[in-house]
Amino acid sequence: SAVISQKPSRDICQRGTSLTIQCQVDSQVTMMFWYRQQPGQSLTLIATANQGSEATYESGFVIDKFPISRPNLTFSTLTVSNMSPEDSSIYLCSVVALLPPQYFGPGTRLTVL
Amino acid sequence: QQPVQSPQAVILREGEDAVINCSSSKALYSVHWYRQKHGEAPVFLMILLKGGEQKGHEKISASFNEKKQQSSLYLTASQLSYSGTYFCGTESVEGGGADGLTFGKGTHLIIQP
């Protein structure tokens, strides 16, 4: 399976600021996704990161709050904008190489004060 | 629509068996099973793609009843390392395998010596 890395692994941010999370894969993948896992909860899909075009967002998530880029087949970024304490979560990217399944990166633990 | 997992939690003695169920109200294309330990990312266990399919991985196996839109994960002769939270993630038929996953709320499994 592909090796997935995320940066930063954790961060503590102030309310009203923005944070960009990077997801890097060591090989080309067909699909990349971003998920959020709030404390003690399940995983919720934020969006599908589409290479060279706008991301596809799930209900309840908007581009202004969670802008996503995917410039190539191995890299994607998720920005959490104008943060509030409710954005404190683990943010995970996942990838599909050629065929399913999805594999998850190590996650970024975000705390907003 | 979020799949329903049962039970919510289970406590076992080492060597005992467990069954975790995942039910969906939508027709499913696939079911993914993951295990997540505290502070770590979800780890892929297995994927079931066809109705009636059954797969195995060491002492962990799973079944997928397409007609009932259900999947079950079987843990045989449980080991201490099996402790964690188990999630099922589903893809609907409409997505055709190109969608992100919708996860159940998880099943907390505690194995005691």
Side-chain angles (χ1 to χ4, degrees):
Chain A
S1 61
V3 176
I4 309 166
S5 60
Q6 285 186 232
K7 290 182 181 179
S9 59
R10 58 178 63 229
D11 207 341
I12 301 173
C13 300
Q14 295 298 318
R15 180 194 301 258
T17 63
S18 298
L19 177 72
T20 295
I21 302 167
Q22 299 179 0
C23 179
Q24 178 74 56
V25 192
D26 70 341
S27 58
Q28 293 185 348
V29 295
T30 53
M31 309 286 291
M32 295 183 79
F33 304 94
W34 287 97
Y35 291 83
R36 179 176 73 182
Q37 187 173 30
Q38 294 177 301
Q41 303 297 313
S42 181
L43 296 94
T44 301
L45 179 65
I46 297 172
T48 302
N50 299 309
Q51 193 240 333
S53 64
E54 192 171 288
T56 305
Y57 290 85
E58 297 299 305
S59 175
F61 297 95
V62 295
I63 188 171
D64 290 344
K65 176 67 175 177
F66 297 101
I68 289 171
S69 76
R70 188 182 171 192
N72 56 50
L73 293 175
T74 63
F75 185 77
S76 178
T77 66
L78 167 74
T79 299
V80 186
S81 303
N82 188 25
M83 288 183 286
S84 66
E86 292 72 33
D87 294 319
S88 297
S89 295
I90 300 172
Y91 292 86
L92 300 124
C93 69
S94 75
V95 305
V96 176
L98 183 61
L99 296 171
Q102 290 188 30
Y103 291 97
F104 283 89
T108 296
R109 185 178 295 270
L110 171 63
T111 301
V112 184
L113 303 177
Chain B
Q1 190 121 10
Q2 186 176 38
V4 177
Q5 280 188 241
S6 63
Q8 288 184 316
V10 59
I11 301 174
L12 298 175
R13 292 284 183 190
E14 198 173 6
E16 293 180 336
D17 301 340
V19 180
I20 301 171
N21 300 302
C22 176
S23 298
S24 175
S25 60
K26 301 177 72 171
L28 296 176
Y29 177 84
S30 72
V31 180
H32 294 61
W33 285 97
Y34 295 85
R35 176 172 59 214
Q36 186 177 33
K37 294 185 180 285
H38 184 70
E40 300 180 6
V43 172
F44 170 74
L45 294 176
M46 63 186 69
I47 180 174
L48 300 114
L49 288 170
K50 297 179 181 178
E53 187 178 17
Q54 196 150 359
K55 297 189 95 172
H57 176 71
E58 295 182 344
K59 295 180 180 177
I60 301 175
S61 62
S63 63
F64 179 21
N65 187 321
E66 186 178 7
K67 288 184 180 178
K68 292 185 177 179
Q69 297 166 185
Q70 291 177 344
S71 179
S72 295
L73 185 71
Y74 306 94
L75 305 169
T76 305
S78 57
Q79 306 169 13
L80 293 175
S81 61
Y82 288 2
S83 291
T85 302
Y86 289 78
F87 292 100
C88 68
T90 59
E91 287 182 278
S92 66
V93 167
E94 291 84 6
D99 278 356
L101 299 175
T102 302
F103 283 89
K105 291 186 176 181
T107 296
H108 303 285
L109 178 64
I110 298 172
I111 310 295
Q112 295 178 336

